[in-house]
Amino acid sequence: MQNSNADLFIKELGLIPHPEGGYFREVYRSVDSFIPENTGTERNYMTSIYFLLKSGQFSAFHRLKSDELWYFHEGAAVTIFIISPSGKLEQYILGRNIANGEKLQVIFNKGDWFAATPAVSEGFSLFGCAVAPGFHFDDFELAHRENLIKEFPQHTEIIRKFSLD
């Protein structure tokens, strides 16, 4: 699995850079919508994207006002870090090798901080993300490193490694 394969997926799937790192493209947005209590403005019931990380890249710590489900597609497994609002740190591997403890799907609850990186030093990871209520950039918060460290000082090392500022 080389990054050249990643470039093929980026081209063929029409992926573009994402602010948290990696590449993405929205592939589904439900036609129906509603107004959730936590936003006060209209949201689609669900959205889904392709997301790709090349080796050496990461999805920086961020959180949403919606639940999110990641599901594995192709390439290397993905190491995922989740910090719950209570400060509990969990780590999962999103991938195909379920006999080795990898998960085909990983769920993030609204309000969880999460970050991810390919589990190997070479290659890429392609996965999908479904968000319900549907994704809207107003509901997306990219972590500010020092603020997240102040909130969860016990996780300083992992926050420093997977945050952008």
Side-chain angles (χ1 to χ4, degrees):
M1 284 179 257
Q2 301 298 321
N3 276 331
S4 61
N5 290 346
D7 293 336
L8 176 67
F9 278 104
I10 290 167
K11 179 183 176 194
E12 293 300 319
L13 297 175
L15 307 180
I16 60 173
H18 196 287
E20 76 197 43
Y23 301 86
F24 83 108
R25 189 187 91 194
E26 183 175 278
V27 293
Y28 175 75
R29 180 169 290 273
S30 64
V31 174
D32 294 327
S33 60
F34 71 111
I35 300 176
E37 291 178 21
N38 66 341
T39 65
T41 57
E42 190 172 36
R43 297 291 184 265
N44 299 86
Y45 281 106
M46 189 183 98
T47 56
S48 183
I49 64 171
Y50 287 124
F51 200 97
L52 185 142
L53 291 169
K54 291 182 174 184
S55 62
Q57 291 184 321
F58 61 88
S59 168
F61 272 107
H62 64 288
R63 67 179 171 184
L64 302 177
K65 292 181 181 177
S66 298
D67 294 337
E68 185 166 2
L69 170 68
W70 285 12
Y71 36 95
F72 187 77
H73 286 306
E74 185 65 49
V78 180
T79 304
I80 298 170
F81 305 93
I82 303 171
I83 303 174
S84 72
S86 69
K88 180 180 178 186
L89 175 66
E90 296 180 277
Q91 182 176 329
Y92 297 95
I93 306 293
L94 179 70
R96 283 197 186 105
N97 191 345
I98 59 174
N100 212 29
E102 294 177 5
K103 308 286 185 196
L104 293 170
Q105 299 181 339
V106 174
I107 298 169
F108 311 98
N109 297 309
K110 65 182 178 182
D112 285 344
W113 289 101
F114 55 99
T117 190
V120 296
S121 60
E122 291 189 26
F124 69 95
S125 303
L126 175 65
F127 47 98
C129 310
V131 178
F135 181 83
H136 192 285
F137 268 105
D138 288 348
D139 302 336
F140 170 85
E141 183 181 359
L142 194 58
H144 294 284
R145 178 180 292 150
E146 295 310 316
N147 292 345
L148 200 57
I149 288 171
K150 284 179 189 172
E151 188 172 355
F152 305 110
Q154 69 274 32
H155 306 308
T156 296
E157 184 179 335
I158 201 82
I159 291 168
R160 284 199 188 286
K161 189 171 182 179
F162 296 108
S163 56
L164 296 176
D165 63 2

